[in-house]
mmCIF file with all atom_site columns, all heavy atoms in Angstrom:
data_model
loop_
_atom_site.group_PDB
_atom_site.id
_atom_site.type_symbol
_atom_site.label_atom_id
_atom_site.label_alt_id
_atom_site.label_comp_id
_atom_site.label_asym_id
_atom_site.label_entity_id
_atom_site.label_seq_id
_atom_site.pdbx_PDB_ins_code
_atom_site.Cartn_x
_atom_site.Cartn_y
_atom_site.Cartn_z
_atom_site.occupancy
_atom_site.B_iso_or_equiv
_atom_site.pdbx_formal_charge
_atom_site.auth_seq_id
_atom_site.auth_comp_id
_atom_site.auth_asym_id
_atom_site.auth_atom_id
_atom_site.pdbx_PDB_model_num
ATOM 1   N N   . PRO A 1 83 ? -18.549 11.114 1.269   1.00 87.00 ? 83 PRO A N   1
ATOM 2   C CA  . PRO A 1 83 ? -17.492 12.099 1.537   1.00 87.00 ? 83 PRO A CA  1
ATOM 3   C C   . PRO A 1 83 ? -16.473 12.080 0.395   1.00 87.00 ? 83 PRO A C   1
ATOM 4   O O   . PRO A 1 83 ? -16.271 11.045 -0.252  1.00 87.00 ? 83 PRO A O   1
ATOM 5   C CB  . PRO A 1 83 ? -16.859 11.598 2.840   1.00 87.00 ? 83 PRO A CB  1
ATOM 6   C CG  . PRO A 1 83 ? -17.896 10.731 3.468   1.00 87.00 ? 83 PRO A CG  1
ATOM 7   C CD  . PRO A 1 83 ? -18.699 10.132 2.350   1.00 87.00 ? 83 PRO A CD  1
ATOM 8   N N   . ALA A 1 84 ? -15.831 13.204 0.154   1.00 87.00 ? 84 ALA A N   1
ATOM 9   C CA  . ALA A 1 84 ? -14.942 13.364 -1.010  1.00 87.00 ? 84 ALA A CA  1
ATOM 10  C C   . ALA A 1 84 ? -13.914 12.244 -1.142  1.00 87.00 ? 84 ALA A C   1
ATOM 11  O O   . ALA A 1 84 ? -13.675 11.734 -2.237  1.00 87.00 ? 84 ALA A O   1
ATOM 12  C CB  . ALA A 1 84 ? -14.249 14.717 -0.956  1.00 87.00 ? 84 ALA A CB  1
ATOM 13  N N   . HIS A 1 85 ? -13.298 11.825 -0.012  1.00 85.00 ? 85 HIS A N   1
ATOM 14  C CA  . HIS A 1 85 ? -12.253 10.805 -0.106  1.00 85.00 ? 85 HIS A CA  1
ATOM 15  C C   . HIS A 1 85 ? -12.805 9.404  -0.367  1.00 85.00 ? 85 HIS A C   1
ATOM 16  O O   . HIS A 1 85 ? -12.054 8.471  -0.619  1.00 85.00 ? 85 HIS A O   1
ATOM 17  C CB  . HIS A 1 85 ? -11.374 10.812 1.153   1.00 85.00 ? 85 HIS A CB  1
ATOM 18  C CG  . HIS A 1 85 ? -12.067 10.369 2.397   1.00 85.00 ? 85 HIS A CG  1
ATOM 19  N ND1 . HIS A 1 85 ? -13.027 11.121 3.029   1.00 85.00 ? 85 HIS A ND1 1
ATOM 20  C CD2 . HIS A 1 85 ? -11.946 9.232  3.129   1.00 85.00 ? 85 HIS A CD2 1
ATOM 21  C CE1 . HIS A 1 85 ? -13.461 10.477 4.095   1.00 85.00 ? 85 HIS A CE1 1
ATOM 22  N NE2 . HIS A 1 85 ? -12.824 9.324  4.181   1.00 85.00 ? 85 HIS A NE2 1
ATOM 23  N N   . LEU A 1 86 ? -14.134 9.267  -0.351  1.00 86.00 ? 86 LEU A N   1
ATOM 24  C CA  . LEU A 1 86 ? -14.761 7.966  -0.628  1.00 86.00 ? 86 LEU A CA  1
ATOM 25  C C   . LEU A 1 86 ? -15.633 8.001  -1.882  1.00 86.00 ? 86 LEU A C   1
ATOM 26  O O   . LEU A 1 86 ? -16.300 7.026  -2.193  1.00 86.00 ? 86 LEU A O   1
ATOM 27  C CB  . LEU A 1 86 ? -15.625 7.532  0.561   1.00 86.00 ? 86 LEU A CB  1
ATOM 28  C CG  . LEU A 1 86 ? -14.890 7.335  1.889   1.00 86.00 ? 86 LEU A CG  1
ATOM 29  C CD1 . LEU A 1 86 ? -15.887 7.004  2.991   1.00 86.00 ? 86 LEU A CD1 1
ATOM 30  C CD2 . LEU A 1 86 ? -13.829 6.260  1.772   1.00 86.00 ? 86 LEU A CD2 1
ATOM 31  N N   . ALA A 1 87 ? -15.630 9.116  -2.602  1.00 90.00 ? 87 ALA A N   1
ATOM 32  C CA  . ALA A 1 87 ? -16.553 9.302  -3.722  1.00 90.00 ? 87 ALA A CA  1
ATOM 33  C C   . ALA A 1 87 ? -15.902 9.110  -5.091  1.00 90.00 ? 87 ALA A C   1
ATOM 34  O O   . ALA A 1 87 ? -16.487 9.456  -6.106  1.00 90.00 ? 87 ALA A O   1
ATOM 35  C CB  . ALA A 1 87 ? -17.180 10.698 -3.634  1.00 90.00 ? 87 ALA A CB  1
ATOM 36  N N   . VAL A 1 88 ? -14.700 8.551  -5.135  1.00 94.00 ? 88 VAL A N   1
ATOM 37  C CA  . VAL A 1 88 ? -14.002 8.367  -6.409  1.00 94.00 ? 88 VAL A CA  1
ATOM 38  C C   . VAL A 1 88 ? -14.373 7.002  -6.974  1.00 94.00 ? 88 VAL A C   1
ATOM 39  O O   . VAL A 1 88 ? -14.096 5.967  -6.360  1.00 94.00 ? 88 VAL A O   1
ATOM 40  C CB  . VAL A 1 88 ? -12.474 8.485  -6.227  1.00 94.00 ? 88 VAL A CB  1
ATOM 41  C CG1 . VAL A 1 88 ? -11.759 8.260  -7.547  1.00 94.00 ? 88 VAL A CG1 1
ATOM 42  C CG2 . VAL A 1 88 ? -12.114 9.835  -5.636  1.00 94.00 ? 88 VAL A CG2 1
ATOM 43  N N   . GLY A 1 89 ? -15.010 7.004  -8.144  1.00 93.00 ? 89 GLY A N   1
ATOM 44  C CA  . GLY A 1 89 ? -15.465 5.770  -8.762  1.00 93.00 ? 89 GLY A CA  1
ATOM 45  C C   . GLY A 1 89 ? -14.484 5.219  -9.783  1.00 93.00 ? 89 GLY A C   1
ATOM 46  O O   . GLY A 1 89 ? -13.407 5.779  -10.029 1.00 93.00 ? 89 GLY A O   1
ATOM 47  N N   . LEU A 1 90 ? -14.877 4.116  -10.417 1.00 93.00 ? 90 LEU A N   1
ATOM 48  C CA  . LEU A 1 90 ? -14.011 3.420  -11.368 1.00 93.00 ? 90 LEU A CA  1
ATOM 49  C C   . LEU A 1 90 ? -13.661 4.253  -12.594 1.00 93.00 ? 90 LEU A C   1
ATOM 50  O O   . LEU A 1 90 ? -12.679 3.974  -13.275 1.00 93.00 ? 90 LEU A O   1
ATOM 51  C CB  . LEU A 1 90 ? -14.658 2.109  -11.810 1.00 93.00 ? 90 LEU A CB  1
ATOM 52  C CG  . LEU A 1 90 ? -14.742 1.013  -10.750 1.00 93.00 ? 90 LEU A CG  1
ATOM 53  C CD1 . LEU A 1 90 ? -15.508 -0.180 -11.288 1.00 93.00 ? 90 LEU A CD1 1
ATOM 54  C CD2 . LEU A 1 90 ? -13.362 0.605  -10.287 1.00 93.00 ? 90 LEU A CD2 1
ATOM 55  N N   . GLY A 1 91 ? -14.459 5.275  -12.865 1.00 92.00 ? 91 GLY A N   1
ATOM 56  C CA  . GLY A 1 91 ? -14.140 6.160  -13.986 1.00 92.00 ? 91 GLY A CA  1
ATOM 57  C C   . GLY A 1 91 ? -12.763 6.790  -13.846 1.00 92.00 ? 91 GLY A C   1
ATOM 58  O O   . GLY A 1 91 ? -12.129 7.159  -14.845 1.00 92.00 ? 91 GLY A O   1
ATOM 59  N N   . ARG A 1 92 ? -12.272 6.887  -12.610 1.00 95.00 ? 92 ARG A N   1
ATOM 60  C CA  . ARG A 1 92 ? -10.938 7.474  -12.392 1.00 95.00 ? 92 ARG A CA  1
ATOM 61  C C   . ARG A 1 92 ? -9.846  6.631  -13.035 1.00 95.00 ? 92 ARG A C   1
ATOM 62  O O   . ARG A 1 92 ? -8.814  7.152  -13.465 1.00 95.00 ? 92 ARG A O   1
ATOM 63  C CB  . ARG A 1 92 ? -10.678 7.629  -10.882 1.00 95.00 ? 92 ARG A CB  1
ATOM 64  C CG  . ARG A 1 92 ? -9.320  8.171  -10.514 1.00 95.00 ? 92 ARG A CG  1
ATOM 65  C CD  . ARG A 1 92 ? -9.125  9.588  -11.055 1.00 95.00 ? 92 ARG A CD  1
ATOM 66  N NE  . ARG A 1 92 ? -7.820  10.122 -10.739 1.00 95.00 ? 92 ARG A NE  1
ATOM 67  C CZ  . ARG A 1 92 ? -6.716  9.942  -11.474 1.00 95.00 ? 92 ARG A CZ  1
ATOM 68  N NH1 . ARG A 1 92 ? -6.775  9.212  -12.584 1.00 95.00 ? 92 ARG A NH1 1
ATOM 69  N NH2 . ARG A 1 92 ? -5.574  10.482 -11.121 1.00 95.00 ? 92 ARG A NH2 1
ATOM 70  N N   . LEU A 1 93 ? -10.069 5.311  -13.129 1.00 94.00 ? 93 LEU A N   1
ATOM 71  C CA  . LEU A 1 93 ? -9.082  4.442  -13.765 1.00 94.00 ? 93 LEU A CA  1
ATOM 72  C C   . LEU A 1 93 ? -8.955  4.747  -15.254 1.00 94.00 ? 93 LEU A C   1
ATOM 73  O O   . LEU A 1 93 ? -7.880  4.620  -15.839 1.00 94.00 ? 93 LEU A O   1
ATOM 74  C CB  . LEU A 1 93 ? -9.424  2.972  -13.563 1.00 94.00 ? 93 LEU A CB  1
ATOM 75  C CG  . LEU A 1 93 ? -9.469  2.477  -12.116 1.00 94.00 ? 93 LEU A CG  1
ATOM 76  C CD1 . LEU A 1 93 ? -9.739  0.975  -12.086 1.00 94.00 ? 93 LEU A CD1 1
ATOM 77  C CD2 . LEU A 1 93 ? -8.190  2.807  -11.379 1.00 94.00 ? 93 LEU A CD2 1
ATOM 78  N N   . GLU A 1 94 ? -10.071 5.168  -15.873 1.00 92.00 ? 94 GLU A N   1
ATOM 79  C CA  . GLU A 1 94 ? -10.034 5.516  -17.299 1.00 92.00 ? 94 GLU A CA  1
ATOM 80  C C   . GLU A 1 94 ? -9.190  6.762  -17.536 1.00 92.00 ? 94 GLU A C   1
ATOM 81  O O   . GLU A 1 94 ? -8.657  6.954  -18.631 1.00 92.00 ? 94 GLU A O   1
ATOM 82  C CB  . GLU A 1 94 ? -11.458 5.733  -17.821 1.00 92.00 ? 94 GLU A CB  1
ATOM 83  C CG  . GLU A 1 94 ? -12.293 4.470  -17.784 1.00 92.00 ? 94 GLU A CG  1
ATOM 84  C CD  . GLU A 1 94 ? -13.766 4.735  -18.023 1.00 92.00 ? 94 GLU A CD  1
ATOM 85  O OE1 . GLU A 1 94 ? -14.113 5.873  -18.416 1.00 92.00 ? 94 GLU A OE1 1
ATOM 86  O OE2 . GLU A 1 94 ? -14.566 3.808  -17.820 1.00 92.00 ? 94 GLU A OE2 1
ATOM 87  N N   . ALA A 1 95 ? -9.071  7.602  -16.520 1.00 93.00 ? 95 ALA A N   1
ATOM 88  C CA  . ALA A 1 95 ? -8.286  8.834  -16.652 1.00 93.00 ? 95 ALA A CA  1
ATOM 89  C C   . ALA A 1 95 ? -6.827  8.646  -16.253 1.00 93.00 ? 95 ALA A C   1
ATOM 90  O O   . ALA A 1 95 ? -6.042  9.582  -16.327 1.00 93.00 ? 95 ALA A O   1
ATOM 91  C CB  . ALA A 1 95 ? -8.922  9.933  -15.798 1.00 93.00 ? 95 ALA A CB  1
ATOM 92  N N   . ALA A 1 96 ? -6.445  7.433  -15.819 1.00 94.00 ? 96 ALA A N   1
ATOM 93  C CA  . ALA A 1 96 ? -5.062  7.186  -15.388 1.00 94.00 ? 96 ALA A CA  1
ATOM 94  C C   . ALA A 1 96 ? -4.104  7.401  -16.554 1.00 94.00 ? 96 ALA A C   1
ATOM 95  O O   . ALA A 1 96 ? -4.389  7.010  -17.686 1.00 94.00 ? 96 ALA A O   1
ATOM 96  C CB  . ALA A 1 96 ? -4.926  5.773  -14.848 1.00 94.00 ? 96 ALA A CB  1
ATOM 97  N N   . ARG A 1 97 ? -2.978  8.040  -16.251 1.00 93.00 ? 97 ARG A N   1
ATOM 98  C CA  . ARG A 1 97 ? -2.009  8.393  -17.287 1.00 93.00 ? 97 ARG A CA  1
ATOM 99  C C   . ARG A 1 97 ? -0.588  8.083  -16.835 1.00 93.00 ? 97 ARG A C   1
ATOM 100 O O   . ARG A 1 97 ? -0.352  7.724  -15.682 1.00 93.00 ? 97 ARG A O   1
ATOM 101 C CB  . ARG A 1 97 ? -2.114  9.898  -17.615 1.00 93.00 ? 97 ARG A CB  1
ATOM 102 C CG  . ARG A 1 97 ? -3.430  10.304 -18.240 1.00 93.00 ? 97 ARG A CG  1
ATOM 103 C CD  . ARG A 1 97 ? -3.561  9.753  -19.660 1.00 93.00 ? 97 ARG A CD  1
ATOM 104 N NE  . ARG A 1 97 ? -4.865  10.024 -20.233 1.00 93.00 ? 97 ARG A NE  1
ATOM 105 C CZ  . ARG A 1 97 ? -5.845  9.125  -20.345 1.00 93.00 ? 97 ARG A CZ  1
ATOM 106 N NH1 . ARG A 1 97 ? -5.686  7.908  -19.884 1.00 93.00 ? 97 ARG A NH1 1
ATOM 107 N NH2 . ARG A 1 97 ? -6.981  9.437  -20.918 1.00 93.00 ? 97 ARG A NH2 1
#
Side-chain angles (χ1 to χ4, degrees):
H85 67 289
L86 299 176
V88 179
L90 290 175
R92 178 63 181 87
L93 299 183
E94 295 168 11
R97 295 290 175 257

